[in-house]
Amino acid sequence: MTPLSRSAALSAMGALLLTSCGGGGGGSTSTPTPTPTPTPTPTPTSVYTPPPAEALTTADVERVLAQAISEAQARGLPSVIAVTDRVGNVLGVFRMTGARATATTSAAPNGMNIDAQNVTFPAEGGAIAKAVTGAYLSSGGNAFSTRTASQIVQEHFPPAPTTVGLESGPLFGVQFSQLPCSDLSARFGAPGAAALIGPKRSPLGLAADPGGLPLYKNGVLVGGIGVMGDGVYGSDPNILDIDNDAEEFIALAGTRGFEAPDTITADKITVDGTSLRFSDATFAGVMSSGGASFASLNGSAGNLVAVIGYANAAVTAGIAYGTEASGIRASTPAEFANRDAFVLTDGSGTNRYPIRAGTDGATNSAPLTQAEARAVLEEAFAVMSRARAQIRRPLDSRAQVTISIVDTHGAVLGIVRSPDAPIFGTDVSLQKARTAAFFSGAQAGSELGANASADVRQFVPAVRTFLNDPAALTGTIAFADRSGGNLSRPYFPDGEVGRPHGPLSRPIEQFNPFSTGLQSALIIGNLGAHLGFVSGASATDTPARCTTLPDVAPGQNRLQNGIQIFPGSVPIYRGSQLVGAIGVSGDGIDQDDMISFLGTHNGGARVGGIGNAPKAIRADTIVVNVGAGVRLRYISCPFAPFLDTAQQNVCDGL
């Protein structure tokens, strides 16, 4: 299939679907522990140290590009190389003479290529996506790469021939975030001060193809580099061997002088006892000296190129993260009580997502008030500030995440983040909040079932049949993202081979990271339209609103940046009435669950009237008959998660 016809097919598939399940309090409830005492409104104290203000200069970007170009020459692999800053601004894209014009995503195992499988797109898109991934997944406490991403998004964790039967990756589905249609992500080409406002979108979401690494300057995260040269945009299905990946060596050479601190690379971090992977390439295997100047290579080895929607044919200096110009800065006391809080800004001093009351009064008789939204965000921030991080070094660092709250229409009622939270969690926390609100709402089945795409529509009867519940997706069950994630795996229960696929997933014969099920079906039309725009085949970009759900307000649907299918969200209720949801992302998934669940509980206890879903309607009340009964999950909180107490089972009984 040609790239153009494939893009047309993708556009025809653009639609929406998902369902989730929700349930109890995240673990045994037979021995309830005392209810945590909710904290008061935070006092202006600080426990985090913001990252120092560092940024790539134009000379830095040229050095990174020159080092990567020289390595590509030494390896005989002409490539496209992209550099971004921490908030996703593309600082330069270089196309070497002879580099492949396109790249193609991995094909479906059974050859029935749907969603984003076997899609051909401009190679520049792959290089930018890899650079964005290296920058967005990393922080001052962890350095992750696209190889790390590959390890944590596949059907088994860790992915290897000998791990069949283990659960899926902890961030299964994160690849479908930072989407080009996201209403949160800023776009290149905005006028004036907003031109370099982040976070920016990615042409393909997050990448799992080795060849993307973060960049650090004086030990401070300042961006990422991505390399696309071999024409294959895939993932690594076996972490037991060491790959000789030319793209990864080229990217690594580019980081010389800007490499990640050795103490925080992914291979120093474990998840459930498994060490993560950072890079199979080492500096010992780099073939080039790195001495060539950019001036000597620009024009002779290739040229800087413009990328529609992302970059001009020039080198640009990066923006220091944490400044007004970066789009993320420290909050003011009027914006958020806790002095550690950071917010998204428009470049002119205005908070993009100030705390506000629910906008859904036309369909919700008791919307969240501004005071309630503030209490939940403040209490969730307080829980995060006490929590022990999973994916940060040194050990016993505090968790750092982004927290989003939405109403039942998916409208943002506030976003707040810690100073050094990874950027990817900004878009993902909003996806998680919207997903929990949507699938816990009365309209989920009807809105998905009326979709123009037959592929999207079929997920609704699949869920109802799987759960043996004709009323599923009508607001009778509260779904957290962990619940929906259970139903979105290619095996149910998760990881157990020989079992049926979840009703929101593709069958394992069809599945790969480019086709997850409802998640990918919802946005494939948007992605196809965008890739056509980037390639120049279409003059029209995808709108800044993912999915084709009906509007709930003029120009607004409930899932404006897609859905997410790994844990870290809960719906918010006023008694038995759904009023919104909270989403958390940026650390371990159990930490994300705990911050959302306890933040909602403590916020409700502080102001009265709101809280977590009643236990009787949570998704963990659902038992699915798949040979033996399997109970869905709602949340899962870590044991002894706090730095200031040895308290165990902090979510039990709530």
Side-chain angles (χ1 to χ4, degrees), residues 587-614:
D587 201 81
I589 54 176
D590 290 353
Q591 280 78 357
D592 293 349
D593 261 359
M594 178 185 70
I595 294 165
S596 62
F597 184 76
L598 290 185
T600 299
H601 174 81
N602 293 352
R606 187 172 113 191
V607 298
I610 61 168
N612 282 298

Side-chain angles (χ1 to χ4, degrees), residues 371-434:
E372 290 168 339
R374 182 178 296 277
V376 171
L377 284 171
E378 288 180 350
E379 293 297 338
F381 199 94
V383 173
M384 171 198 67
S385 301
R386 299 174 56 211
R388 180 180 289 104
Q390 180 181 41
I391 64 165
R392 301 182 71 87
R393 289 295 178 269
L395 291 173
D396 290 336
S397 295
R398 296 179 191 273
Q400 298 218 37
V401 301
T402 303
I403 308 166
S404 296
I405 188 169
V406 301
D407 63 19
T408 61
H409 286 179
V412 183
L413 307 187
I415 296 179
V416 66
R417 46 184 283 118
S418 62
D420 190 42
I423 297 296
F424 87 93
T426 314
D427 187 67
V428 170
S429 70
L430 183 55
Q431 286 183 318
K432 290 180 180 181
R434 285 172 166 167

Side-chain angles (χ1 to χ4, degrees), residues 408-410 434 438 443 447 549-550 552 556-560:
T408 61
H409 286 179
R434 285 172 166 167
F438 180 78
Q443 76 299 318
E447 290 193 358
L549 286 179
V552 290
Q556 176 197 341
N557 65 46
R558 300 181 202 268
L559 297 173
Q560 295 268 120

